[in-house]
Amino acid sequence: MFAGFPPPKSKARRDDFAALAAVPASLVFFESGPRLAESLADMAAVFCGREAVIGRELTKMFEEFRRGALPDLAKAAALAEPPKGEIVVVVAAPAPQAGVTESDIEAGRADTELRRALARLPVREAVQEVAAVLAAPRRPLYQRALFLKGQSSKGEA
């Protein structure tokens, strides 16, 4: 699915990516060189460990590609100089999920993903990300996230 240029601001970009996270197709984005590292970091946060390809100068003499998991591509882009030229990022489609039921959430299957997301995101964004990854309903995930957040703050005190 062609998604065009992501928004320039991180919050809007993450919201855009979260809305696309459950789309059962590869996602194609255009991005500018100066914004590539930030955009890849946001993609890694929202699309988790999905595979991706960064293409630069497609169909031209200096065409090049980088493939890998989004977190790895984001780390490499953060350490490198911003690339020049036209850049295309293709993010793999989400892996097929059987879906997660409310009883699965209560049984703790989503806890690991929620804990990881809560470690780096506010509750609302963490729930949005995990719901997209697990194809799970948000409401019970939100309740579970609040419970886990309460447990972690009690454990830290």
Side-chain angles (χ1 to χ4, degrees):
M1 179 182 133
F2 178 69
F5 280 94
K9 304 263 184 192
S10 182
K11 169 81 170 99
R13 202 170 31 234
R14 283 182 182 228
D15 289 345
D16 225 33
F17 294 157
L20 295 169
V23 172
S26 294
L27 303 171
V28 180
F29 299 96
F30 287 157
E31 191 52 275
S32 69
R35 288 197 331 225
L36 181 63
E38 292 175 1
S39 191
L40 286 171
D42 289 339
M43 286 179 190
V46 175
F47 299 127
C48 297
R50 286 196 208 176
E51 293 292 310
V53 175
I54 301 169
R56 188 180 77 80
E57 294 294 299
L58 301 183
T59 73
K60 296 181 181 169
M61 183 182 287
F62 298 104
E63 175 180 277
E64 69 176 301
F65 296 95
R66 291 187 177 221
R67 293 173 178 82
L70 277 169
D72 298 334
L73 292 172
K75 284 178 192 171
L79 297 173
E81 289 292 317
K84 296 183 192 264
E86 300 164 352
I87 300 162
V88 176
V89 179
V90 181
V91 178
Q97 299 283 336
V100 177
T101 65
E102 288 188 33
S103 63
D104 291 335
I105 293 166
E106 291 166 9
R109 289 189 169 178
D111 285 6
T112 303
E113 291 296 325
L114 279 170
R115 282 190 179 104
R116 283 185 192 149
L118 286 168
R120 57 186 167 68
L121 297 169
V123 173
R124 183 172 170 257
E125 290 177 24
V127 168
Q128 212 172 15
E129 178 181 303
V130 173
V133 169
L134 298 178
R138 285 188 204 172
R139 184 167 296 191
L141 277 175
Y142 190 80
Q143 296 303 318
R144 188 68 186 159
L146 290 175
F147 174 77
L148 292 172
K149 187 103 173 151
Q151 269 190 332
S152 69
S153 65
K154 287 178 187 175
E156 294 169 2

